[in-house]
């Protein structure tokens, strides 16, 4: 089991920015496909962004142009830079990792989540 620890969540006003981090001690981090998902209370989990080991990135339509996923393999960390945040972005954000060549929507390991709240 690979453990993932998210951080960087908080409360911001609409139009503000946050950067989420997801760190692991797994030495094979550089081989993982990494993703970010979010879940609002009473809602189902939804895909936000993903980055393959190659560096190719993918985004949900709702966050394109506002969010950026990146990784620093030397730090075994993946980031989600969130700009121009809106109230509808309010959710618990989860980091995910997968060691295989799977769909960007499928992951083997999940973090515990970090809360992002955006006020009007």
């Amino acid at each position: 089991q690979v453990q993932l620890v998210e951080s960087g969540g908080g409360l911001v006003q609409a139009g503000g920015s946050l950067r989420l981090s997801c760190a692991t001690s797994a030495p094979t981090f550089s081989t993982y496909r990494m993703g970010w998902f979010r879940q609002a209370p009473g809602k189902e989990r939804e895909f936000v962004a993903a980055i393959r080991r190659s560096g190719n990135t993918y985004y949900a339509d709702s966050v394109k142009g506002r969010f950026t996923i990146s990784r620093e393999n030397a730090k075994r960390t993946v980031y989600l830079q969130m700009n121009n945040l809106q109230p509808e972005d309010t959710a618990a954000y989860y980091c995910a990792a997968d060691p295989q060549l799977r769909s960007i929507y499928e992951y083997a390991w999940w973090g515990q989540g970090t809360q992002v709240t955006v006020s009007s």
Side-chain angles (χ1 to χ4, degrees):
Q1 176 83 15
V2 170
Q3 294 188 335
L4 305 170
V5 180
E6 302 99 331
S7 62
L11 189 151
V12 297
Q13 294 183 345
S17 298
L18 284 174
R19 188 172 81 159
L20 305 184
S21 298
C22 172
T24 181
S25 61
T28 51
F29 171 82
S30 64
T31 70
Y32 299 162
R33 184 185 75 253
M34 304 296 297
W36 286 97
F37 291 74
R38 65 188 183 186
Q39 187 169 21
K43 304 294 183 180
E44 65 182 8
R45 182 194 66 193
E46 65 175 339
F47 171 79
V48 175
I51 184 166
R52 292 191 181 276
R53 57 192 294 180
S54 65
N56 293 149
T57 58
Y58 309 85
Y59 298 95
D61 288 342
S62 59
V63 306
K64 286 180 180 177
R66 299 190 298 123
F67 290 11
T68 302
I69 188 171
S70 62
R71 65 194 299 161
E72 293 187 41
N73 289 338
K75 296 182 179 180
R76 298 172 182 166
T77 301
V78 64
Y79 304 97
L80 185 68
Q81 178 67 46
M82 304 183 294
N83 297 325
N84 191 24
L85 284 162
Q86 301 299 311
E88 55 264 35
D89 296 316
T90 295
Y93 283 70
Y94 296 88
C95 176
D98 197 273
Q100 301 182 37
L101 185 61
R102 308 187 191 193
S103 165
I104 59 172
Y105 307 108
E106 302 292 335
Y107 295 84
W109 305 305
W110 296 82
Q112 84 290 343
T114 185
Q115 180 66 36
V116 171
T117 302
V118 185
S119 63
S120 299

